[in-house]
Amino acid sequence: MGMAALMAFNQVVSHGFGLFLFVALVPEMRMDMSIEAWHLAFIGAGSQVSYLIGAALLGVWGHKLPSNKLLLVSGLVTASILLSMIFIHSPIVMIFGLCLMAISAAICWGGIVEIIAGCSQMGDRSTHLSIASSGTAWGYGLNGLLLLTVVPALGWQAAWFVAGMIAVMCLLMTSKVIKMKCAEVNSLVSFERMVSLPVALSTKELLKVVLIEPVARSTCLILFLVGLATMPFSTWLNVYLAELAVPGSLMGLAWLSVGLSGMVSGLIIGRLADRKGSSTTLFCIFSIFFVSSVAFVLDPAKWVLLVSVAYGLMYFPVWGILAGWVNRAYSSKATMQINGIGMITFGAGGVLGNALAGVVQQYTGSISILFEGICVVGFALVLFSMYLLLSEFLLRRHVVT
């Protein structure tokens, strides 16, 4: 559990700060740095593309480096950029730094997956991975805390400094703990070789596995659908609520609900996956998200907090659940590679979803149709998880007979 908590701390830094702190600080920074609308457009598109690049690098070349080095290098890059943001006055340089942190965030999650897969018992693996993935939600919460306490008193530069110092502390702690755990990881690699699990996949083997093997293929397809639903949801939720003239306080409560539910979901949902199975857990969280999305479409102001909680329960732990599921069939190194391809499909789904949202907004003048589409994607996730449940049931029945 201690390693899972430390990896969640790394997720706070890489995703919570590296990807989302700028979004929280942009109103204050925009006044001081002459950040224009086209800068923000480049940042949004550049961050998504950079995350995809990081995931691709992880899937194709990540297996050639030890996971501890991947994690430490990405931590060093993120910490350095967070601290340097204090001194950056050019929006172009800032965009470059944010894109580098997006690449680093993707690589960091790959290192986290391999390390936890190597250090956790099989019966606790989904729990530990879900706890680590929920670190992003803790990052949301810390960003809000910085915005409420540090920025009003000391300015936005102080928020970057505090985030950078937290990143340095995390880097030092991670370096110390990983040295102690190296023996366990090496033992796991030796065991995986003994039982004929491929420690790493070549690029050709990786693509073949993702296209043909049911577990890897299903994981990538699920992450594509999750990206198609969640990325436009998070991007356009406040826009839609503002369109409906919902009070700003309710918008704030909605995102607070996302963060709080994401914080607690790692342990609860991960434990459910270890005890009841990944397919059952996926069916539960996708069903909750679908039902909540339908309620939100019917009465947005009344059910926005419900769908926000459901979003947090589904989005943050799903990464850990799927990584734990893959790791039951593949080595820790191959799990990291497959997860890298999964991140690419997730990003592709997110890009497609946001592009469709933009088209809807352009041609209809309203974003309500987007959230109806998210309901359809949510229903597809429910159906897919039902298919996985049925497949597992038939397989168990066949084995018994």
Side-chain angles (χ1 to χ4, degrees):
M1 191 67 75
M3 177 60 78
L6 179 60
M7 294 301 104
F9 197 5
N10 277 273
Q11 194 77 348
V12 168
V13 171
S14 64
H15 287 69
F17 294 156
L19 294 181
F20 300 115
L21 182 57
F22 173 78
V23 176
L25 296 177
V26 68
E28 288 75 16
M29 295 180 66
R30 194 171 185 178
M31 292 185 293
D32 292 342
M33 292 185 61
S34 300
I35 299 174
E36 299 179 14
W38 70 269
H39 291 135
L40 296 178
F42 267 91
I43 289 168
S47 295
Q48 286 189 332
V49 171
S50 298
Y51 198 82
L52 291 177
I53 291 172
L57 291 174
L58 184 68
V60 177
W61 288 299
H63 64 282
K64 297 182 180 181
L65 291 173
S67 55
N68 59 328
K69 290 186 178 179
L70 286 175
L71 193 62
L72 294 175
V73 169
S74 67
L76 180 61
V77 169
T78 301
S80 300
I81 295 174
L82 287 172
L83 289 172
S84 67
M85 291 293 282
I86 305 168
F87 308 104
I88 293 176
H89 300 288
S90 167
I92 302 300
V93 176
M94 180 190 64
I95 291 171
F96 180 71
L98 292 172
C99 289
L100 279 181
M101 286 199 290
I103 294 174
S104 180
I107 293 173
C108 179
W109 173 242
I112 288 172
V113 168
E114 187 183 355
I115 287 172
I116 292 182
C119 296
S120 301
Q121 298 295 323
M122 183 62 73
D124 295 322
R125 202 159 289 170
S126 292
T127 301
H128 292 172
L129 285 165
S130 294
I131 289 172
S133 64
S134 67
T136 305
W138 288 91
Y140 275 37
L142 284 175
N143 287 343
L145 191 61
L146 290 173
L147 201 60
L148 290 172
T149 58
V150 175
V151 174
L154 302 172
W156 59 264
Q157 294 92 342
W160 287 110
F161 176 77
V162 172
M165 293 308 298
I166 292 174
V168 170
M169 289 172 53
C170 179
L171 181 64
L172 295 175
M173 290 170 57
T174 302
S175 177
K176 182 177 180 179
V177 172
I178 282 180
K179 287 179 182 178
M180 298 167 56
K181 290 288 184 178
C182 276
E184 294 181 29
V185 176
N186 291 335
S187 297
L188 177 90
V189 171
S190 299
F191 171 75
E192 289 172 343
R193 288 196 176 106
M194 287 172 57
V195 298
S196 300
L197 284 173
V199 174
L201 301 170
S202 67
T203 302
K204 183 178 180 180
E205 290 171 336
L206 177 61
L207 294 176
K208 182 179 179 181
V209 163
V210 168
L211 292 173
I212 297 176
E213 296 295 329
V215 172
R217 185 179 62 222
S218 297
T219 295
C220 292
L221 179 56
I222 288 172
L223 285 175
F224 172 81
L225 292 174
V226 170
L228 187 61
T230 60
M231 292 301 286
F233 178 91
S234 60
T235 302
W236 295 91
L237 177 61
N238 277 11
V239 175
Y240 182 47
L241 293 177
E243 180 182 296
L244 298 173
V246 170
S249 58
L250 190 57
M251 297 183 197
L253 283 173
W255 285 109
L256 178 62
S257 300
V258 169
L260 291 176
S261 61
M263 289 177 191
V264 301
S265 65
L267 180 60
I268 297 172
I269 305 300
R271 185 64 65 187
L272 180 64
D274 282 325
R275 297 296 179 262
K276 300 298 182 181
S278 299
S279 298
T280 300
T281 306
L282 290 172
F283 175 73
C284 290
I285 62 176
F286 291 154
S287 297
I288 292 171
F289 179 72
F290 167 65
V291 172
S292 302
S293 297
V294 172
F296 176 70
V297 167
L298 294 176
D299 193 338
K302 183 177 181 180
W303 298 112
V304 62
L305 297 184
L306 176 65
V307 77
S308 298
V309 170
Y311 176 93
L313 287 175
M314 187 269 283
Y315 173 68
F316 296 106
V318 73
W319 296 91
I321 295 168
L322 292 173
W325 186 40
V326 171
N327 192 227
R328 293 178 183 273
Y330 299 94
S331 70
S332 56
K333 185 71 75 173
T335 297
M336 179 192 72
Q337 293 178 275
I338 294 168
N339 196 76
I341 301 300
M343 285 191 287
I344 293 174
T345 60
F346 171 83
V351 170
L352 176 61
N354 276 321
L356 291 174
V359 172
V360 168
Q361 173 75 5
Q362 179 71 29
Y363 285 98
T364 68
S366 174
I367 206 67
S368 61
I369 297 175
L370 168 68
F371 289 91
E372 295 172 5
I374 289 173
C375 290
V376 174
V377 178
F379 186 59
L381 285 167
V382 173
L383 291 178
F384 197 88
S385 59
M386 289 177 63
Y387 165 75
L388 295 177
L389 269 174
L390 180 60
S391 299
E392 285 188 3
F393 172 76
L394 293 176
L395 180 61
R396 286 196 299 267
R397 187 175 180 181
H398 176 73
V399 170
V400 170
T401 56

